Amino acid sequence: MLEGILIGLQTAMSLQNLLMVIGGCLIGTFIGMLPGLGPMSIIAIMIPVAISIGDPSAALILLAGVYYGAIFGGSTSSILLNAPGVAGTVASAFDGYPMARQGKAGKALTIAAISSFAGGTIGAILLMIFAPMLSSVALLFHSAEYFGLMIVGLSAIAAFAGNGQVAKALLMTVLGLIMATVGLGSLFNMPRFTGGFMELQSGFGFVTLAMAMFALPEAIFLVLKPKNIGDDGGEIKDLRITRAEARAIAPVIGRQSIQGFFIGVLPGAGATIASFLGYAVERNLATKEEQAEFGKGSIKGLAAPETANNAACTGSFVPLLTLGIPGSGTTAILLGALIALNVTPGPRLMIDDPQIFWAVIMSMFIGNLVLLILNLPLIPYIAKVLAIPRNYLIPFIMFFTLMGAYIGQNNATELLLLVGFGVCGIALRFANYPLPPLLIGFILGGMMEDNFARAVQLYGGISFIWERPMTLGLLIIAVILILLPSMRAMYARLRSEGVADGD
């Protein structure tokens, strides 16, 4: 391994590759800030540029920098505008945006930058140590296990169910699952629930739904409640985190770096599930007082998904480089770029082309440092988005909302769906229904159905649930995660009754 590290450092530290790292991080960060232009879009656009470079190491370093740069920068629009254009940064809006509304936009961006840097760096260290070994573990996961993993992801709804809101959270999750069934089915390659509209054959777009549930209602609420934002006269303050806050988020960053990385290793999991599970786990581990802050501007609630999604991005390179298996749409595009460069990813990549394998890993350390240096000085300027006068801010949010929805599918029908879902989102917010569970159900529903369908076809029924121990174990974990908040509430109630009886 030491020899590989030295080869990787020698390759990554060349002038050309350093420029590739910096260029990729810059492009990814600024593209990630724009809702609707996620890493998949920009990497697809950058492939011809990468191929023209000629050197496979430099090309992959450039594309990898764009990938984790986009995830790093994707939190900005989530935190400042409540407009998550990338699925992996949806959870960052849950506490990041409330912090921005409380006049802590600078602090929220600082926490996001530090958490992202730590998650990406620790993930790169784990990738360097465990890549060869984890490639064999990833092979143990089949459709049945991925179905169980999706169920565990859905159990994150427990983290969004406030007092007396468990039924509402479940209802919104079911609604999200129902919406995920629109379009081509997994078992039968036929369109369903489209109402005869050709435009719906590919289903609802994630960006359209995310913008409709978060950004569009926010623009309307800014009109209805004009004192929600910018009450400090546009002065951006409180950019630094205190020692107490650093101590509070340090264990969160440590846990979620490890958890996020191992989730990212599993093909088909990725940054989205890692961020949702990270948020849910940290909320369940928090004290009762800290739990009450989640969803209202908790620093732990922001640090957890930001760390997990960046660690998962790094982890997703394990199946890509060691097995040649793309774990997500983005890594599928990266796989296509590798093949176009005449590089065959797989178990022999470390042997046949060690300079490519190790150069990518070493470039991740450099890239995360570049991202931190790039973002921290810019935080006061980025945060000034909140100082834009309301007359300009609301059209700004509306413009990016409409642009993101249209670019996501390149279809004008998406604009009509955006308005329709936006009206529903506003009504649900007025009725105090939690919107995150709907998005979780929608994102994970499609993946869950695909893996369930494959498992049923393979085993001829649902017997895989009890025949495969890993699947059964994952389902038991999901049940525990769902019941844990209720069990904790029941324990607290019994304890308070015991204290009262003692008095």
Side-chain angles (χ1 to χ4, degrees):
M1 187 175 74
L2 182 59
E3 184 181 354
I5 292 172
L6 293 174
I7 292 172
L9 278 173
Q10 184 179 359
T11 308
M13 292 299 288
S14 69
L15 180 60
Q16 181 191 28
N17 289 340
L18 283 174
L19 291 174
M20 291 299 109
V21 172
I22 296 169
C25 290
L26 279 168
I27 294 168
T29 300
F30 288 109
I31 292 298
M33 291 179 185
L34 301 176
L37 286 173
M40 283 182 65
S41 305
I42 188 59
I43 287 176
I45 294 169
M46 293 293 294
I47 282 180
V49 177
I51 293 174
S52 67
I53 294 170
D55 182 1
S57 299
L60 192 57
I61 285 171
L62 172 66
L63 295 176
V66 171
Y67 181 25
Y68 50 78
I71 297 295
F72 198 106
S75 59
T76 303
S77 59
S78 295
I79 292 171
L80 296 184
L81 303 175
N82 201 26
V86 182
T89 61
V90 169
S92 302
F94 300 156
D95 283 283
Y97 184 67
M99 286 184 71
R101 292 177 64 179
Q102 294 164 13
K104 300 177 183 176
K107 178 173 290 189
L109 291 170
T110 302
I111 291 172
I114 292 172
S115 301
S116 299
F117 169 75
T121 303
I122 295 172
I125 294 171
L126 295 173
L127 174 62
M128 184 174 63
I129 297 171
F130 292 111
M133 181 177 63
L134 289 174
S135 62
S136 58
V137 174
L139 286 174
L140 298 175
F141 270 68
H142 299 289
S143 298
E145 283 72 33
Y146 285 122
F147 168 72
L149 190 64
M150 299 304 129
I151 298 293
V152 173
L154 285 173
S155 68
I157 62 162
F160 309 104
N163 294 330
Q165 282 197 318
V166 176
K168 286 184 176 181
L170 286 171
L171 182 63
M172 296 299 287
T173 306
V174 171
L175 182 59
L177 291 171
I178 291 171
M179 294 177 71
T181 62
V182 175
L184 294 175
S186 300
L187 285 171
F188 307 101
N189 194 24
M190 293 284 290
R192 57 192 179 172
F193 310 127
T194 60
F197 292 100
M198 290 285 293
E199 294 84 355
L200 293 180
Q201 287 197 6
S202 59
F204 299 124
F206 156 73
V207 173
T208 302
L209 189 61
M211 295 296 179
M213 292 295 113
F214 290 92
L216 198 60
E218 199 54 50
I220 302 301
F221 271 69
L222 285 177
V223 176
L224 298 177
K225 298 180 180 179
K227 291 188 178 180
N228 275 348
I229 195 166
D231 292 336
D232 56 0
E235 182 185 354
I236 305 301
K237 52 189 178 181
D238 200 17
L239 298 176
R240 296 182 180 179
I241 59 173
T242 64
R243 285 189 178 180
E245 290 169 335
R247 283 196 297 268
I249 64 174
V252 175
I253 290 173
R255 284 191 295 265
Q256 292 314 313
S257 294
I258 297 171
Q259 177 179 297
F261 173 79
F262 285 109
I263 291 174
V265 167
L266 304 174
T272 305
I273 293 179
S275 62
F276 284 139
L277 279 181
Y279 188 91
V281 166
E282 291 305 327
R283 186 185 183 280
N284 288 332
L285 290 175
T287 62
K288 190 174 180 180
E289 293 76 16
E290 291 174 335
Q291 283 186 3
E293 295 177 10
F294 274 69
K296 300 176 182 177
S298 167
I299 58 172
K300 289 186 175 182
L302 175 58
E306 277 297 298
T307 305
N309 62 24
N310 280 269
C313 281
T314 308
S316 67
F317 279 85
V318 172
L320 175 67
L321 296 176
T322 61
L323 299 174
I325 299 173
S328 63
T330 307
T331 49
I333 295 174
L334 287 171
L335 176 62
L338 278 171
I339 294 170
L341 290 161
N342 295 319
V343 176
T344 304
R348 292 198 59 83
L349 180 64
M350 282 184 284
I351 300 170
D352 297 337
D353 296 296
Q355 73 280 3
I356 296 176
F357 180 84
W358 291 105
V360 171
I361 295 177
M362 291 299 106
S363 73
M364 290 179 179
F365 291 102
I366 302 169
N368 278 289
L369 186 61
V370 168
L371 286 168
L372 189 68
I373 295 171
L374 173 70
N375 279 268
L376 283 179
L378 293 178
I379 283 174
Y381 306 101
I382 297 172
K384 285 187 180 294
V385 169
L386 295 181
I388 297 173
R390 192 172 320 283
N391 294 340
Y392 301 109
L393 183 62
I394 295 171
F396 179 78
I397 295 173
M398 295 292 290
F399 170 75
F400 278 107
T401 300
L402 295 169
M403 186 188 73
Y406 182 76
I407 290 175
Q409 297 284 334
N410 198 24
N411 188 342
T413 307
E414 294 298 312
L415 299 178
L416 299 176
L417 293 172
L418 173 72
V419 174
F421 288 145
V423 171
C424 295
I426 293 166
L428 289 168
R429 278 189 61 170
F430 273 117
N432 199 28
Y433 277 80
L435 296 179
L438 184 147
L439 214 54
I440 294 173
F442 177 77
I443 293 169
L444 301 184
M447 294 188 285
M448 183 180 73
E449 183 189 9
D450 290 343
N451 286 289
F452 179 76
R454 283 195 288 267
V456 167
Q457 289 175 335
L458 185 62
Y459 292 92
I462 62 170
S463 59
F464 67 88
I465 292 176
W466 53 85
E467 286 180 359
R468 296 189 66 85
M470 288 178 68
T471 305
L472 184 61
L474 287 167
L475 293 176
I476 291 172
I477 291 172
V479 171
I480 293 172
L481 287 173
I482 292 172
L483 295 179
L484 189 61
S486 300
M487 291 168 62
R488 290 179 66 166
M490 186 182 299
Y491 173 75
R493 187 170 63 251
L494 291 173
R495 188 175 176 183
S496 63
E497 288 175 359
V499 172
D501 292 340
D503 291 343

